Amino acid sequence: MASERPDLAAMLYPLVRELIAIELPILAGHEVSMWGYSVLAALDDTPVRTQAALATAIGADKSRIIGTLDELQQAGLIERTPDPDDRRVRLLSITPRGRTVRRAIRKDIQSAELQVLDSLPAADRKTFLRLLQQLHTSR
Amino acid sequence: MASERPDLAAMLYPLVRELIAIELPILAGHEVSMWGYSVLAALDDTPVRTQAALATAIGADKSRIIGTLDELQQAGLIERTPDPDDRRVRLLSITPRGRTVRRAIRKDIQSAELQVLDSLPAADRKTFLRLLQQLHTSR
DNA sequence: TATTGTTATACTCTATAACTATA
DNA sequence: TATAGTTATAGAGTATAACAATA
């Protein structure tokens, strides 16, 4: 019976939950919700898109992100401009201020999140991070 | 600006979501919910405990797992016996049938879940798994 | 008084499906 | 008619607090 190990999800999920617990106070400090941060990140990495495309990109329903977009727009972090070529579409873009906020949040998160890997030796931590990144970009 | 990488959660969360999508139909096939499977796994790995201890062990509220325990008990997968020493407490245990079901589910899950690591070379896959396991046990 | 398990309540998410305006 | 965005509705999930039994 040697080959016993926990399921992948059983090992990964606690990590994610710990990470969320780390991120929430940071996000609150910047007055941005988790969905809001997710939107800012997506828009910052790939500039313009329709709301529907954005929604599927971050794994949400198109109706689910509307409140988030309203908040971000009102805070001046994103812009929604009607597409002249197809007036049904709202072209999305992150504002300079949105970009600044996104980077500040990311800096705070990334300087705190690595603590979840603390139990690994430094070399292993680096390896884990590299493999995870590889896994993430090749999806 | 070299040091740019996605946040840990941004890389891990999609993995978890993909894993859940893989697990749900398997669990449905065994007529066990995700919470139910989580409870079976916890009880199988560390035999007896109070409901409150079990709840915190799997990251839930004590009131949240009661419906799950009812279902599992009715299906004959767990037992709730009053503690003679403290009649407020219900001692929890997994039944032989519960153990069988849990193992069957785990076998199905583990034979399917590794596909999320498919984009890694075999050696890297093994390394990732080892580090993740190390991370999980040393928490 | 404190604790275990339970129930009840309200609150938050989420999914679904209508609705509008454009095409 | 089909699609983008929006709104409305209902359903599921969750947290909180009250409750009964026991310590």
Side-chain angles (χ1 to χ4, degrees), chain A residues 35-47:
Chain A
W35 282 113
Y37 179 57
S38 179
V39 166
L40 287 181
L43 287 182
D44 195 12
D45 293 337
T46 56

Side-chain angles (χ1 to χ4, degrees), chain B residues 35 61-64 84-88:
Chain B
W35 282 112
D61 189 85
K62 60 176 180 166
S63 70
R64 215 160 82 181
D85 295 346
D86 181 347
R87 302 229 328 266
R88 293 174 302 181

Side-chain angles (χ1 to χ4, degrees), chain B residues 57-76:
Chain B
I58 64 176
D61 189 85
K62 60 176 180 166
S63 70
R64 215 160 82 181
I65 62 169
I66 290 189
T68 302
L69 295 179
D70 290 344
E71 289 170 13
L72 292 174
Q73 185 175 24
Q74 196 176 350

Side-chain angles (χ1 to χ4, degrees), chain A:
Chain A
M1 301 290 148
S3 77
E4 271 186 38
R5 64 159 176 82
D7 305 333
L8 283 182
M11 297 191 284
L12 288 173
Y13 192 62
L15 272 184
V16 168
R17 238 190 345 209
E18 198 179 338
L19 287 166
I20 290 176
I22 290 172
E23 291 188 9
L24 282 181
I26 293 173
L27 289 166
H30 291 274
E31 291 179 325
V32 172
S33 70
M34 186 71 84
W35 282 113
Y37 179 57
S38 179
V39 166
L40 287 181
L43 287 182
D44 195 12
D45 293 337
T46 56
V48 293
R49 268 182 301 198
T50 79
Q51 296 186 189
L54 172 67
T56 58
I58 64 176
D61 190 85
K62 60 175 182 166
S63 69
R64 215 160 83 185
I65 62 170
I66 290 189
T68 303
L69 295 179
D70 291 345
E71 287 170 15
L72 292 174
Q73 184 175 25
Q74 197 176 352
L77 305 183
I78 68 167
E79 273 177 354
R80 275 192 278 197
T81 61
D83 183 345
D85 295 345
D86 181 346
R87 304 230 325 268
R88 293 173 302 182
V89 170
R90 312 298 168 91
L91 292 174
L92 296 173
S93 57
I94 190 170
T95 65
R97 178 141 179 277
R99 215 178 297 270
T100 303
V101 169
R102 188 260 169 138
R103 307 251 160 121
I105 295 175
R106 184 172 62 184
K107 189 176 159 230
D108 288 353
I109 286 179
Q110 295 200 358
S111 76
E113 66 181 2
L114 285 177
Q115 70 185 69
V116 306
L117 304 182
D118 269 355
S119 63
L120 289 182
D124 287 346
R125 221 175 307 153
K126 213 173 156 189
T127 301
F128 183 82
L129 210 55
R130 178 175 59 79
L131 293 178
L132 181 58
Q133 219 170 327
Q134 193 174 331
L135 210 47
H136 179 257
T137 56
S138 65
R139 282 171 51 87

Side-chain angles (χ1 to χ4, degrees), chain B:
Chain B
M1 300 286 155
S3 80
E4 270 186 37
R5 63 159 176 82
D7 305 333
L8 283 183
M11 297 191 284
L12 288 172
Y13 193 63
L15 272 184
V16 168
R17 241 195 338 211
E18 198 179 339
L19 287 167
I20 290 176
I22 290 172
E23 291 188 8
L24 282 182
I26 293 174
L27 289 166
H30 291 274
E31 293 181 324
V32 172
S33 70
M34 187 72 84
W35 282 112
Y37 179 57
S38 178
V39 165
L40 286 181
L43 287 182
D44 194 13
D45 292 338
T46 55
V48 292
R49 266 183 303 199
T50 79
Q51 295 187 187
L54 171 67
T56 59
I58 64 176
D61 189 85
K62 60 176 180 166
S63 70
R64 215 160 82 181
I65 62 169
I66 290 189
T68 302
L69 295 179
D70 290 344
E71 289 170 13
L72 292 174
Q73 185 175 24
Q74 196 176 350
L77 305 183
I78 68 166
E79 273 179 354
R80 276 192 276 198
T81 61
D83 184 348
D85 295 346
D86 181 347
R87 302 229 328 266
R88 293 174 302 181
V89 171
R90 311 296 167 93
L91 293 174
L92 296 173
S93 58
I94 189 171
T95 65
R97 177 141 179 276
R99 212 178 299 268
T100 302
V101 169
R102 187 259 169 142
R103 307 250 160 122
I105 296 174
R106 183 172 63 185
K107 190 177 158 229
D108 288 352
I109 287 179
Q110 296 201 357
S111 76
E113 66 182 1
L114 286 177
Q115 69 185 70
V116 306
L117 304 182
D118 270 355
S119 63
L120 289 182
D124 286 346
R125 219 176 309 153
K126 211 171 156 190
T127 301
F128 183 82
L129 211 55
R130 178 177 58 79
L131 294 178
L132 182 57
Q133 219 170 329
Q134 193 174 333
L135 210 47
H136 179 257
T137 56
S138 64
R139 284 169 50 89

